[in-house]
Amino acid sequence: MTNPRHSHVLGLITHLAKQLQEYWFLFVLLVWQWGNLPPLWRGVAIAALVVWFLVWPVTKWATLTYAVTPDAVIIHSGIFVRHHLHIPYPRLQTVQRQQWFYLRPFHLETLQLETASHEDSQPEVRLPAVPTSVADAINAYRRQTAEPTATPHATSAAAPNNPAAAASPAGPSYRITRRALTQFSLTSTGVIPLVVVLLGIYGKLPKSWENQAIDQVAHYALPLLLGGVIIVLVIGWLGAYLWVLLRYYHFTLTRTGDQLETVKGFFQRNTVTAPIARIQAVRFKQNILRQWLHLQTVQVLLASKAATDDDDHDLVLLPAITQAQLYATLHPFIPWVPATAPDLTDLAVPRQARWLLSRNAFLVVALPIILLCWLWQPWGWLSLLLLPLAYFQGQFAARNTGGRRLSADLIVLQTGHLWTRETFVVRRRQIQSLEVNFSVWMRPKHLAHLTVNVRHGNSKQAIELRYLPAEQVQALYAWYTH
């Protein structure tokens, strides 16, 4: 693989599909203006579309080559301006492998490589339809360069001819059970965007259809309204259930050396490999449904976009695991995560300050309630139901705020917002910055806000704990600065 190679001819399908996905509106524009164009311009438009949607992707595929050497991955691309990209293995953040069902018989997959230097949501390297042995070789070279005990002579002898010879012994492995996958799918909040899409489709229907239906069933308006709401919710819930079920089908987590690998998917098998040393933080996440079932979802924050299809664009390590088994299961994969659940009462909101979070929630919903009650009568008065929701959301946030410094290099922080509890395990070396804020009204009450910023993709993850005892916050600030 040290010589430049083209991807498989099936990679053309990916190039053509991407071009069509980004510029499909040109077809719509041509059809819309077809009757207004003279015959000559029609021919010019058709020729331009053929070049743009067929010739251009073929040329991009033909000019893209790759080489996997013992030291780096080398990419050559560009049509009019040639680009040469050289990525050493220690600089790789993640290696992502995507294998659609039509590529499996040919042992091909799409390979994406990311480092921490990219600025947008796209990876530095995307190689469609390359042999699966390419990613195996890259991962073997990565393990070899990270292996501290390997001698230079042994490395040069084994790597060029047989990269797999440097593979580390397999470590712990976890595979999701059918029951856990079902619980994870049933408790997904993906039903919310699907319901919004269904309501948007309903809003695009002609008004005459709606009026005609109302006139015909005027005597059954209320039952039909309730039935319609139930049908929309059921369709959205089933859609979200199937979507999550297919995406996390046969989810598997394995550790090999200092690398973590996740594999999942039914129609598309998605494999992501990330080094443990590049993990910025570990997140335990529970929405309100999973709290009732005592289930946790474990994610890791990376300095890449390899997990853009996962929840919150963070790589999922354990989709659904019980709280009792969480720390004991995760510790073998990430050794610096505690093996038992820590006590998080050191950084907690004092009881006398909990009402402040409910007050803030009231202020957020106050203006929408006033506008709805004024502009949309009498239905706008239903927005008053947001007031008790805001109160309980504030109390939820107060009860679920907590944290503790476990060691000289490790802290655990917990927050609660939008009916979701999130717990972060962060090493001191991965904290980008730490902020302490307090207003003139908070100083007499000895309260302060704490914000811990860690790298998250191309931006940052701000972990904010509000209305904490000022003494505890200052102690944590001193720990970080000294």
Side-chain angles (χ1 to χ4, degrees):
M1 299 182 190
T2 56
N3 296 322
R5 302 174 58 181
H6 290 90
S7 63
H8 194 274
V9 69
L10 288 177
L12 278 173
I13 297 177
T14 302
H15 286 284
L16 294 171
K18 183 178 180 181
Q19 197 78 348
L20 183 61
Q21 179 184 4
E22 294 181 352
Y23 300 101
W24 59 269
F25 60 89
L26 295 178
F27 282 109
V28 178
L29 183 62
L30 179 60
V31 173
W32 182 39
Q33 296 293 333
W34 184 261
N36 300 327
L37 293 176
L40 177 61
W41 286 105
R42 291 179 183 177
V44 171
I46 292 176
L49 289 180
V50 170
V51 171
W52 189 244
F53 287 98
L54 185 61
V55 177
W56 186 259
V58 171
T59 306
K60 289 175 64 178
W61 170 82
T63 56
L64 176 65
T65 60
Y66 67 93
V68 179
T69 70
D71 301 318
V73 180
I74 303 173
I75 308 297
H76 305 283
S77 63
I79 300 175
F80 300 108
V81 178
R82 294 294 291 171
H83 301 277
H84 305 281
L85 182 61
H86 186 277
I87 305 179
Y89 297 114
R91 296 292 181 265
L92 283 177
Q93 287 281 335
T94 54
V95 176
Q96 185 174 12
R97 310 164 67 170
Q98 297 174 338
Q99 188 180 51
W100 282 99
F101 60 91
Y102 62 86
L103 294 177
R104 293 176 192 171
F106 304 96
H107 303 287
L108 302 173
E109 62 188 4
T110 297
L111 183 64
Q112 295 185 175
L113 307 178
E114 292 195 48
T115 70
S117 62
H118 63 103
E119 298 180 354
D120 54 16
S121 60
Q122 299 298 322
E124 281 89 349
V125 177
R126 180 180 175 88
L127 299 174
V130 297
T132 56
S133 58
V134 174
D136 294 335
I138 291 175
N139 286 328
Y141 282 132
R142 291 176 73 194
R143 289 191 293 266
Q144 178 179 307
T145 56
E147 180 62 45
T149 58
T151 62
H153 178 73
T155 298
S156 60
N161 299 321
N162 186 16
S168 301
S173 179
Y174 166 85
R175 184 165 185 172
I176 193 169
T177 63
R178 183 177 301 177
R179 177 181 180 183
L181 180 58
T182 301
Q183 292 175 330
F184 182 64
S185 304
L186 292 176
T187 55
S188 171
T189 56
V191 63
I192 298 176
L194 287 177
V195 169
V196 172
V197 170
L198 292 174
L199 292 177
I201 295 174
Y202 170 76
K204 297 297 182 181
L205 296 178
K207 195 69 175 178
S208 58
W209 293 8
E210 180 181 353
N211 295 333
Q212 183 179 1
I214 292 176
D215 292 339
Q216 292 179 355
V217 294
H219 299 292
Y220 307 98
L222 183 59
L224 286 176
L225 177 62
L226 295 176
V229 171
I230 294 174
I231 290 174
V232 168
L233 291 176
V234 170
I235 293 176
W237 176 72
L238 287 177
Y241 169 75
L242 292 175
W243 176 254
V244 175
L245 191 67
L246 294 175
R247 284 176 59 194
Y248 289 90
Y249 179 78
H250 280 182
F251 178 92
T252 304
L253 169 67
T254 56
R255 176 184 171 182
T256 305
D258 66 338
Q259 306 285 332
L260 293 179
E261 181 181 86
T262 63
V263 184
K264 66 178 185 294
F266 183 78
F267 293 110
Q268 183 194 64
R269 294 297 286 170
N270 195 329
T271 304
V272 179
T273 305
I276 299 175
R278 299 299 177 90
I279 294 175
Q280 306 299 308
V282 179
R283 185 213 310 258
F284 308 144
K285 189 174 181 180
Q286 283 182 300
N287 60 35
I288 191 68
L289 297 176
R290 290 170 185 160
Q291 289 179 43
W292 293 338
L293 296 175
H294 303 287
L295 294 176
Q296 291 265 22
T297 298
V298 180
Q299 302 169 292
V300 291
L301 277 62
L302 302 169
S304 69
K305 287 290 186 180
T308 52
D309 292 334
D310 283 352
D311 192 12
D312 287 337
H313 307 312
D314 294 323
L315 182 64
V316 173
L317 293 188
L318 301 173
I321 189 167
T322 61
Q323 294 178 198
Q325 301 174 340
L326 172 62
Y327 288 91
T329 303
L330 184 62
H331 180 72
F333 294 96
I334 306 179
W336 46 266
V337 172
T340 58
D343 182 17
L344 303 180
T345 56
D346 288 354
L347 296 172
V349 179
R351 184 173 297 274
Q352 65 273 17
R354 290 184 177 180
W355 71 273
L356 294 171
L357 290 163
S358 293
R359 180 205 62 183
N360 293 347
F362 281 140
L363 294 177
V364 170
V365 302
L367 182 59
I369 289 176
I370 293 174
L371 292 177
L372 289 173
C373 291
W374 179 31
L375 300 175
W376 194 34
Q377 296 184 5
W379 299 106
W381 294 105
L382 293 175
S383 63
L384 293 175
L385 295 175
L386 294 175
L387 292 176
L389 288 177
Y391 170 79
F392 288 113
Q393 167 56 40
Q395 295 301 302
F396 174 86
R399 289 194 302 270
N400 287 282
T401 297
R404 187 178 183 183
R405 178 166 61 92
L406 298 184
S407 67
D409 188 53
L410 193 67
I411 60 172
V412 181
L413 304 172
Q414 182 173 280
T415 64
H417 65 281
L418 296 179
W419 306 105
T420 301
R421 177 196 297 151
E422 294 184 340
T423 305
F424 296 86
V425 183
V426 188
R427 291 179 294 177
R428 182 180 181 276
R429 70 189 74 171
Q430 302 297 348
I431 297 177
Q432 301 294 319
S433 63
L434 190 146
E435 304 174 19
V436 177
N437 302 303
F438 50 86
S439 65
V440 294
W441 294 278
M442 295 171 60
R443 187 189 296 270
K445 299 177 182 179
H446 305 288
L447 299 175
H449 300 322
L450 172 68
T451 303
V452 176
N453 297 307
V454 297
R455 180 76 183 271
H456 183 204
N458 298 328
S459 57
K460 67 177 182 179
Q461 172 71 54
I463 308 171
E464 186 177 13
L465 283 70
R466 301 174 64 83
Y467 302 108
L468 301 178
E471 181 181 359
Q472 298 288 349
V473 174
Q474 291 295 341
L476 192 64
Y477 182 81
W479 161 78
Y480 177 69
T481 55
H482 294 89

